[in-house]
Amino acid sequence: IEKPGITDAALRAAGSVQKGEVVEQTIHFEAPYAYGKLLVAWSMRDVFGFKAVRTGSGKRQALTVVGIKENVENFEIVLAAALVHATGEMLKADANRPAYENARSFRAAFLEGYSSRIGGVLARAKREGRQEAEETLTTEESKGVALVLLDEKERVNEAFKARFPSVRSSRGHSSQSHSGRSAGSSAASRFSGAGTGVGGARGALGA
């Protein structure tokens, strides 16, 4: 999973390719359940090493991300696959929804539960891929990769602060459906990312 990102970082460390470009990208989420979709995207920020700020509201949510170009592109690929997976699993779970549960509340809570778990699922896959990739590097190459990744993290942080100097954290609302959240969390644990490279060394997860 991490192998392409580690390989690219090794090339940058050796001076074979240019530094990763820091870019800004805004991703829009439409109704229904726009906020839940945004939460799924938000949960991936640490995995892909980007900073983000919510720039939409209501039925038209948006997330503006600042990160290394390759990582942002990979994030969009994995996010698209995760949202397709989440939607399919949500509809299946809804068919078995408890009779006392409101359908809309159940589905909103499902996406909240999914978002609370998917970041950890991807992080674990990334760690496994990184271990595999680092086995092919020499000690000096590993040190070079670490320096490149640190440099990229610092440049992303600086670019984000320059673009959003006054951003503040806020607490989002939470749905009340416990069964919906539980079903969403369980569904996220089954995400394999088939077709995106998640789950194998050819993965889309960047450094």
Side-chain angles (χ1 to χ4, degrees), residues 28-35 37 58-61:
H28 299 275
F29 304 94
E30 303 290 340
Y33 312 108
Y35 182 68
K37 296 171 185 175
K59 295 182 178 180
R60 293 179 59 85
Q61 296 285 337

Side-chain angles (χ1 to χ4, degrees), residues 18 50 69 124 146 168 172-173 184 197:
Q18 294 181 338
F50 62 77
K69 182 179 180 180
R124 182 175 65 251
R168 295 179 298 175
H173 58 76

Side-chain angles (χ1 to χ4, degrees), residues 115-129:
S115 68
S116 72
R117 186 73 175 272
I118 190 64
V121 170
L122 295 176
R124 182 175 65 251
K126 180 176 181 176
R127 286 194 300 272
E128 293 172 354

